[in-house]
Amino acid sequence: MKPWLLAFLFACGSNTMGAIPDAPPMIDAGNVTARTHTLYLNFEGVTLAAGSADDATENLSTVVTAPTTLSKYLGSALDRSTQITNITGEVSNILMPYDIEVVTALPTSGPFAMIVTTDTPSSTVGCTDCPAVAPSDCGAADSPIAFNFGSGSGAPLPVHGLTADTVAMVGLTILGVPTSAVPDDCMCFSDSNCTFPPDRQCSIGGAGTAVSATKPGCPTMATVMDENALFLAGFGAHP
């Protein structure tokens, strides 16, 4: 099981489903639209101010309650560059079918989504042992911010788990795609069925992918989804 999978700020993640019908409802891909096509993977640290809404262009976050400095990832590691290259390459590979640009340098203009990967522990934002934390934007913010937290020791996080959480937070914060209940699925973020993919990258599921009934992350009445169709509807195909 993935021990870190707790999107503790997903106030919209309560289960609102009623009785399951004979034919499980599918999420309408026509309602999915990306506000940005740029994903900034920030490994260099950042100081965030509290905001009423996320805005990566202004370093405003709904996750923090006061000015908060997050350290760079693997700040003292000799193989830091290789680790970051491996993470970025895997995220780019998973998202390759879609029209989204993955960058590691601060974009000169917005909108863009920012995922901060830091050695700072999650307790800094009031969540104990939560290596992946996302806000409750669910696709409503132009420039959302989400987080991968280390333990504070400076040790590297497992690459495949880190990239799985990163892609899940792309779906959650940019597109509002709910989380799934399928092991090794990229959108399996906080369901009890989520398992860590120890030897391979996660995969983006197709038609019939089960939506988490207990922690869907973003509001939905659906019980199944086609993640690939949702990502294609939101971002379009890679040109």
Side-chain angles (χ1 to χ4, degrees), residues 21 23 25 81 120 169 190 229:
S81 178
T120 301
M169 290 189 289
S190 53

Side-chain angles (χ1 to χ4, degrees), residues 36-44 84 87-89 91-92 95 100-109 111-117 166 170:
T36 180
H37 292 258
T38 302
L39 172 62
Y40 170 36
L41 300 182
N42 180 356
F43 299 96
E44 302 308 315
I84 290 174
I87 295 165
T88 304
V91 171
S92 298
L95 296 175
I100 179 171
E101 181 181 15
V102 180
V103 301
T104 55
L106 177 65
T108 57
S109 62
F112 59 86
M114 178 167 69
I115 296 182
V116 181
T117 300
T166 298
V170 169

Side-chain angles (χ1 to χ4, degrees), residues 26-27 29 205-209 224-231:
M26 179 78 75
I27 294 173
T209 300
V224 294
M225 61 181 168
D226 185 334
E227 289 170 28
N228 180 54
L230 293 169
F231 274 70

Side-chain angles (χ1 to χ4, degrees), residues 90-239:
E90 187 159 296
V91 171
S92 298
N93 186 56
I94 296 169
L95 296 175
M96 187 180 297
Y98 316 108
D99 184 15
I100 179 171
E101 181 181 15
V102 180
V103 301
T104 55
L106 177 65
T108 57
S109 62
F112 59 86
M114 178 167 69
I115 296 182
V116 181
T117 300
T118 175
D119 285 342
T120 301
S122 60
S123 57
T124 302
V125 298
C127 186
T128 303
D129 297 327
C130 300
V133 173
S136 56
D137 299 323
C138 289
D142 290 338
S143 297
I145 305 175
F147 308 86
N148 289 306
F149 287 104
S151 63
S153 66
L157 296 167
V159 171
H160 298 308
L162 179 58
T163 58
D165 284 346
T166 298
V167 173
M169 290 189 289
V170 169
L172 287 162
T173 63
I174 301 179
L175 301 177
V177 176
T179 64
S180 82
V182 179
D184 291 355
D185 181 77
C186 292
M187 288 303 303
C188 202
F189 191 64
S190 53
D191 190 271
S192 60
N193 289 322
C194 297
T195 57
F196 174 71
D199 57 355
R200 62 192 181 280
Q201 67 183 32
C202 67
S203 59
I204 292 180
T209 300
V211 174
S212 175
T214 56
K215 297 180 179 179
C218 293
T220 181
M221 295 292 290
T223 58
V224 294
M225 61 181 168
D226 185 334
E227 289 170 28
N228 180 54
L230 293 169
F231 274 70
L232 282 173
F235 292 118
H238 186 277

